[in-house]
Amino acid sequence: MSAINPREQGRIIEERLVRYLQMTRTVATDDQMRQGYLVFKLTKVLPRAIKTLQRISAGTYHSCENCGEPIGNDRLRAVPAATKCISCQKESEARR
């Protein structure tokens, strides 16, 4: 059995180190992507949640902000942050 010469040993160590660094870089990138996604979701969801809580406190949660008609319970179960009844929401989307 022959011993590994120092150059070969250095090359093996270097390859392992490169693989390790690539692996940890990928993990860091994945973590950063997850954190970025969470921040993105929070900036979208949090303001809607606050607005919904304010509407509940003000007693306007079940009322459409456009026409004042009731927002159906089925709609609110499906989209808890809904601020418009189905008719007004459809009109709003048609204008876009």
Side-chain angles (χ1 to χ4, degrees):
M1 188 171 192
S2 64
I4 298 177
N5 70 42
R7 281 190 183 173
E8 183 65 14
Q9 193 172 17
R11 187 187 61 73
I12 291 170
I13 291 170
E14 184 179 342
E15 284 177 3
R16 288 181 181 168
L17 182 59
V18 166
R19 270 188 270 146
Y20 174 77
L21 290 173
Q22 287 171 338
M23 201 170 63
T24 56
R25 189 176 323 141
T26 301
V27 170
T29 301
D30 288 347
D31 287 345
Q32 290 168 351
M33 287 173 56
R34 274 195 285 289
Q35 288 172 357
Y37 176 75
L38 288 174
V39 168
F40 170 76
K41 289 300 279 184
L42 282 175
T43 59
K44 290 287 190 183
V45 172
L46 196 57
R48 291 178 73 187
I50 291 170
K51 185 176 181 180
T52 300
L53 292 171
Q54 289 170 337
R55 290 176 46 126
I56 291 169
S57 293
T60 60
Y61 178 64
H62 289 278
S63 301
C64 175
E65 69 182 9
N66 284 3
C67 68
E69 291 294 314
I71 300 173
N73 287 330
D74 289 340
R75 175 156 170 72
L76 288 172
R77 266 190 227 103
V79 185
T83 59
K84 299 175 186 166
C85 65
I86 293 217
S87 299
C88 289
Q89 184 64 40
K90 285 180 181 177
E91 278 182 36
S92 177
E93 288 174 4
R95 280 186 255 140
R96 287 184 195 170

